[in-house]
Amino acid sequence: EPYRRQRQMCIRDSVETILEALHLYEDNLAKKFETAKPNSIERIEMGAKKASTQTLIERLSRRLPFYAE
């Protein structure tokens, strides 16, 4: 039982670290998106990456309470 609890805490900490990194990445994408020329390929790519990042954050956030138990 202690090993299982320790493993869950390690996974939870890993998920939290990944979420923090994704939030930083998302902020960086938002800044690049704002400075890109309208209707440019770069802006379209930044928008797609930002949407993908938001999806990952949502999915990981839903799983986080499971690891905290």
Side-chain angles (χ1 to χ4, degrees):
E1 184 66 31
Y3 173 76
R4 182 173 182 260
R5 177 79 176 141
Q6 182 180 8
R7 185 172 178 274
Q8 285 178 323
M9 289 171 50
C10 182
I11 292 169
R12 183 204 61 217
D13 292 346
S14 297
V15 171
E16 287 176 351
T17 301
I18 291 168
L19 279 171
E20 288 175 22
L22 284 171
H23 280 295
L24 289 173
Y25 180 66
E26 180 183 32
D27 291 344
N28 187 34
L29 285 175
K31 289 175 188 172
K32 287 183 178 181
F33 181 82
E34 293 302 319
T35 59
K37 294 178 184 174
N39 300 323
S40 68
I41 297 295
E42 181 185 22
R43 189 175 178 117
I44 293 167
E45 288 175 350
M46 291 302 126
K49 288 178 182 178
K50 190 169 186 290
S52 297
T53 303
Q54 288 171 338
T55 301
L56 282 172
I57 289 170
E58 289 170 14
R59 289 181 179 174
L60 283 172
S61 295
R62 278 186 262 145
R63 292 223 177 250
L64 192 57
F66 170 77
Y67 295 117
E69 294 175 355

